[in-house]
Amino acid sequence: MISITAAELADLLVETGERHHQAYADTDGADPEWALWYSGYLQARLWDRAGRLPSRSQLVGLLQSAERRYGGAEGWPARYAGHLLAGLDASGPSGEVFPAVVADDIGWLTREQMVEVDRVMMQDLRIDLIQMMENAGHRLARLVLTLAAPGRVAVVAGSGGNGGGGLVAARHLANAGVDVVVTLGGPADQLNPVPAHQFDILRRMKVATSDTIVDADLTVDALIGYSLRGAPRGAPPN
């Protein structure tokens, strides 16, 4: 965790900008790799202010997302400082970082594009669905543990790949000692093969299930993925 105030970090950002401008005086400060330069300068000066030193890649990502969000708006040092601290405060014990970002900063894929991504992964690269599902569910579990640290989690899972990822997350959360209760969006015998495999693992682990959504500190919604046709239908879990 970084032991520096927002005001101190804002001042450090101003100093960093001035030093960067001096270093790139020939181009009047223009530098397409400015975030990399800033990250090195900041990291060196945060060395004795950190219980866990942020990586340069973390700082670069946060600086770039701050630029997309705020640009050179008036008061940018304070805005950037708040953005960096929010991202760094979201870091987990293993150094993971999940910075808050603006939705408009993220590229969106259409359903057709996502289908093509999956096709490339499975057919061209030979990465199996179960491997992709495992990675997605594991990262989801890490996100939950890092940002929320809940005692009890309800996982609501559909019958497809999105539901399978939620079931993987349920397993990793249970392994981390979280009280997990799984609710399926339909009968277990209607799960697709890979999600059915994940659900079978949970049953063998004796992870709790419920026909209704239980009260919990956090609910993981893994009901609907891109394979949905038309509007959601059927009775939702209570």
Side-chain angles (χ1 to χ4, degrees):
M1 193 65 64
I2 306 300
S3 57
I4 186 171
T5 67
E8 290 171 331
L9 183 54
D11 289 342
L12 180 55
L13 284 165
V14 172
E15 175 189 324
T16 305
E18 292 172 348
R19 296 294 183 271
H20 177 266
H21 199 88
Q22 291 171 4
Y24 286 83
D26 291 345
T27 59
D28 196 27
D31 171 23
E33 301 295 332
W34 69 272
L36 186 62
W37 195 99
Y38 269 54
S39 69
Y41 190 92
L42 289 170
Q43 190 185 52
R45 282 144 190 84
L46 290 171
W47 183 267
D48 60 351
R49 309 294 297 270
R52 178 191 53 75
L53 188 68
S55 68
R56 290 190 71 177
S57 62
Q58 280 180 273
L59 291 170
V60 167
L62 289 168
L63 286 164
Q64 290 175 335
S65 61
E67 182 191 36
R68 289 192 296 269
R69 184 170 188 177
Y70 302 115
E74 183 178 355
W76 72 266
R79 295 172 184 267
Y80 277 46
H83 187 82
L84 263 65
L85 287 176
L88 294 172
D89 281 345
S91 299
S94 62
E96 294 168 304
V97 62
F98 301 99
V101 296
V102 180
D104 290 342
D105 290 346
I106 304 172
W108 297 93
L109 297 178
T110 65
R111 178 188 176 279
E112 290 72 21
Q113 289 171 325
M114 196 63 232
V115 169
E116 176 62 11
V117 168
D118 278 354
R119 186 201 66 76
V120 169
M121 294 284 283
M122 290 186 285
Q123 295 182 15
D124 295 352
L125 302 180
R126 297 293 191 268
I127 299 175
D128 291 336
L129 176 60
I130 195 167
Q131 183 179 353
M132 293 192 293
M133 191 177 292
E134 183 68 28
N135 287 335
H138 178 255
R139 299 309 298 169
L140 175 57
R142 292 307 311 164
L143 179 67
V144 169
L145 291 170
T146 300
L147 297 187
R152 193 183 205 202
V153 171
V155 175
V156 189
S159 61
N162 204 44
L167 296 173
V168 170
R171 167 161 45 87
H172 286 288
L173 290 169
N175 285 337
V178 177
D179 178 17
V180 179
V181 182
V182 173
T183 298
L184 296 180
D189 60 7
Q190 292 183 10
L191 290 170
N192 290 344
V194 180
H197 170 71
Q198 302 295 351
F199 187 61
D200 182 58
I201 295 173
L202 292 177
R203 286 194 289 199
R204 292 172 185 272
M205 292 173 59
K206 302 188 185 309
V207 172
T209 61
S210 173
D211 292 335
T212 59
I213 301 175
V214 301
D215 290 333
D217 300 319
L218 182 144
T219 298
V220 173
D221 179 359
L223 273 174
I224 296 174
Y226 68 75
S227 296
L228 179 70
R229 299 291 192 278
R233 54 197 175 275
N238 295 324

